[in-house]
Amino acid sequence: MPLRDLPTESKAAAALLRTDEITHRRTIRRTGWQGVTLACLSVATVLSVLVPAPVGTGCYLWRATTQPVNGRGAALVLPVAMVLLVLADRLSADRFQLRRQIRWTGTTAIALVTVATWTGLVGQGRSGCTTSPAVIGTIACGTIATAVAAHWVMRSPAPPAPVDDEPGEDAEEPLNQSELRAVFVRLMTTVDNWPSLRLQLMPVVTGVLAVLLVASTVLSWRELLDPVALGPTAAEAGLARSQLWEIPSARTWAVAICLLAVATLLSSGLVRRTLAVGTGTAVVAGVLSHMVWLPPKLPNGVGYRPGLGAWTALGLGLLLVAAGMVGVRGLRVVAGAAVVGLLGGLLLPSATGAGYAPETAAGKPHRLLDLHGGQLVDRLGMRVSIGTPDALDSLAGTLDGSPGQWLLGRTGSESSTVFAYRDGVALPQVTLNHGATPPALWGVADNRMVMLAGGALGKPWAILAVPLDLAQADVSLSHKNQNGTYYVTPGVQILATGIGPALSHRNSDRSIVVSGSTTTWQIPANQLRPGMALKDFVIDPGIGAPGNEVSSGPDGTTAWRTSETGLAIIRPGGEPQQLTGIAPAGCVVSSDAASSSMTVDAFAVDVRGNLWLGGGAPTSVITPDGVLRKLPGGADGVESIEAKPDGSVVLGASPGGGGQVLVIPDAATAAAAYSAAPPPDRRCDRRTPVAGTTTYTASDVPAVPVVDGQPGAVGVSSQLALDAAGRLVRVRVPLAARAWAPDGQGGVWWTLLDQPGAETAVHLVDGRTTRVHDPQPVQGDQKAEFAGAAGDRLVTAITASVYNLYGPGSSVRRVQVKGTLRPDGLVQLLSGAVAMVLGERLVLVGPDGQSVTLLGGSTTGWPVSATGVPALQRTADGTWFAGPDGKLWGYDGSHLVRVDAPGRITVVAGPTQGVPQAADHLTVIGSALYFELGNDLIRLDAS
């Protein structure tokens, strides 16, 4: 019998055919570049979906919004469809006809989902959606995926054709039995060692888990348990969600996990198992380290808990570790990688673990809060918009000094929420309905937050104590009870009330200062209780204090505003000292604050008597030795300052429009170590006042009644004048007045358009008015913003170089003088001449229009009260007016001077002769001079 007919030969032939078929199937079952491309496109689609839309469009694809977004569901399904097509193709590799049908079906599904996404997102009419990176990226990925899948279908290989069993030719020589058995054994070994279906599925399983892990970043990582409704709709009330990639402290972990997951998807064999274990280990380490540092719940039930995204990511990570461990080959390598990854993840410092403590030099400020656009983002992604214009009014601690910090965040147009702020995490407490004016948060005492509610001009204000265990509280003061008290939520205590305006700030001596329109109250923190009487806490350290800011320290040092630009200080056992508002313009910051031209927007006295200044000038501090020292490290744009009882100083700044809260931890101690500013220039030095020729007697003027300048013509601005009985009053200038000025004798002038195209000057004297009509028509660019008067004469600036001269009597004439008039630089003299401040020069213009330069000409000249200086080197800065003797007088913030002739100046009086410093306004009535400092009125009479 021939050898080919033996059973061994038939088995060998069958083995050869089986080997050939397996080789052919391995070639067909390869995924190809199309499958890899679709996997990459699915990842790109997920990343496109995660890209946030432009602010204000509401076109978010990965989270719910208040306005439904059409097409969002299809956009989320698109990457899933791509992944499912790749997985289904792999699972049907052995069934060729089914594989082709699956590719056709998958291509059609991807195309339909892409069209649905485009129709929903672009066809809904939102301009922001059409230009959103999320929409553009999603549609682009879907379009490319459709093209790749279609190409995949057209290039699908045909199933293998059956092999014809053709009889072979008889071998010329019979096969050797031993050789035949060797070939048979080798072929059977190849077939038996082919990987089983279980081991073939493990790479697929790890790849699927990696894809799901990437997709899990869009699930909610954290849910906020909050009894207060934070969301704009009922569906979102009391619940806030954040995605894994959105949390700042977990963003690095999210990126690392996504990269490892993608690498796991694209690798194979032992490398895939190693990467799978590494990905799972990173997930476990990252998620657990953040869950450990989540703050505990507060007694009222408010707190954080890990949400669906955290638990999903943790479960997928554990599955990836288990999937990577399957198999004996390389077990030690995979196990070693797992141990190294786990130890590395757990040993890396968590971003929420330790507080932010930057390395700083002594006394140098560093950021306590970064407010991007007035918004704070805590370490777990909570966004808190600062609820008050002053950031320090939204930041408070405990009034007794115990640990604790609270934030007032704006959560609605007329509502705010108080957050407990711990370790960089904001925990919502109580929602306040406050109306248009947000409250100022002072602090917390006895589980109640104390605040100043209301305080707008002419509106009521109240000091309230709101329990922290309330869900909501009405502090709008918009309604009253039947007994006349303001309505607030039951449980809220009303400590004191008043009528606005009202502002407040905290002092380093644990007191609260409330500044009203005419009164200032300083209330110790331990006396904020029901039944308190505001009249027991009135503070008046000196001229200008009532109604102005006051700051004091525990050593008795008190600083206060004397006027809009003036700032004074008094130390224990000392005399009041004027600090600002008296230096000539252009004087740089020097070691003497009084000799520095400074704009102080905020100030505070710390626990050691240092006075901190902030505003237009560089932030600085005046130490008890009287030396001004600049703050090292810089802090520009400081708008508010608060000195705390622990010796630190907190600054509210807005450099470049971005809000910041800066803290100097050891400010009280470090202030003396700051370098002193350079000494003042000789022309700026105001430490030694110039002696005058006349001594004045100063007296406080009691409250002055306010009257209307014309019956029924109520105005806002007012001027001091005498009524028909000779009493001092404030005359309201009508709102229609274009310019006004006192006449120096108790009367007031103003101009108005009483008929179209014609101007009329009105003179009020002894309660009676006379009118002078301008016969010439009003010019197109006629403004008449500035005026000066003396007796029955009035001058108004009607254009850039044309002036109207009224009086005496009914005469009106126009003169033209070249030069740029400085605001309030127009003075009418009894002689008929007019003094004008044109640029940097003070000139005297006669009735015929001829001008003579009196002094000035230099932008940084000497003050007018300087002695032994040529007239051309003096500055024209200051207040100019017609003096009691009818001549031209000037006031430079500390001295009264008289211009006797061009270049001839006499110092009438200075601070040592009773002249108030840094006054806001000066009015002459007869022989008396009235200085307005804040809400105080000081009268000077020559001795």
Side-chain angles (χ1 to χ4, degrees), residues 1-10 168-177 180:
M1 184 173 64
L3 184 59
R4 63 176 178 270
D5 295 331
L6 293 176
T8 53
E9 183 181 3
S10 62
E169 299 181 355
D170 295 341
E172 297 180 354
E173 295 181 0
L175 294 176
N176 184 279
Q177 186 71 22
L180 180 61

Side-chain angles (χ1 to χ4, degrees), residues 101-339:
Q101 294 176 2
I102 287 177
R103 289 182 180 180
W104 271 111
T105 305
T107 302
T108 305
I110 293 176
L112 292 177
V113 172
T114 302
V115 172
T117 304
W118 180 85
T119 304
L121 295 176
V122 180
Q124 61 185 327
R126 294 191 189 182
S127 59
C129 283
T130 57
T131 59
S132 170
V135 174
I136 296 174
T138 303
I139 295 177
C141 291
T143 304
I144 297 174
T146 303
V148 172
H151 180 270
W152 204 7
V153 171
M154 292 183 293
R155 296 297 300 272
S156 296
V163 180
D164 295 335
D165 190 8
E166 298 179 354
E169 299 181 355
D170 295 341
E172 297 180 354
E173 295 181 0
L175 294 176
N176 184 279
Q177 186 71 22
S178 60
E179 294 178 355
L180 180 61
R181 289 182 177 179
V183 173
F184 177 76
V185 170
R186 185 172 63 252
L187 294 176
M188 293 305 295
T189 304
T190 303
V191 175
D192 293 339
N193 287 340
W194 190 255
S196 64
L197 179 62
R198 180 176 62 83
L199 294 181
Q200 284 290 325
L201 287 178
M202 290 317 300
V204 178
V205 171
T206 55
V208 172
L209 290 175
V211 172
L212 293 178
L213 189 61
V214 174
S216 70
T217 58
V218 303
L219 298 176
S220 58
W221 161 275
R222 179 209 64 204
E223 294 179 356
L224 171 65
L225 294 178
D226 181 12
V228 182
L230 294 181
T233 63
E236 300 177 6
L239 191 63
R241 298 181 177 92
S242 288
Q243 282 66 45
L244 180 65
W245 68 274
E246 190 184 22
I247 302 175
S249 59
R251 186 174 294 119
T252 303
W253 282 103
V255 173
I257 290 170
C258 290
L259 293 178
L260 287 172
V262 173
T264 304
L265 177 64
L266 299 179
S267 60
S268 62
L270 179 60
V271 177
R272 170 172 286 182
R273 289 200 297 272
T274 305
L275 288 174
V277 174
T279 307
T281 304
V283 172
V284 175
V287 173
L288 286 181
S289 62
H290 279 76
M291 291 172 62
V292 167
W293 290 108
L294 288 175
K297 293 182 180 180
L298 298 180
N300 59 1
V302 178
Y304 290 93
R305 71 176 181 188
L308 181 62
W311 293 113
T312 302
L314 187 60
L316 290 173
L318 293 174
L319 288 177
L320 275 172
V321 174
M325 290 294 186
V326 173
V328 180
R329 293 185 57 188
L331 181 60
R332 295 181 179 179
V333 178
V334 176
V339 173

Side-chain angles (χ1 to χ4, degrees), residues 399 443-450 464-468 470 491-493:
L399 294 176
V444 174
D446 299 329
N447 204 36
R448 293 175 177 268
M449 51 185 177
V450 185
L464 305 177
V466 182
L468 287 173
L470 288 179
V492 177
Q493 297 177 348

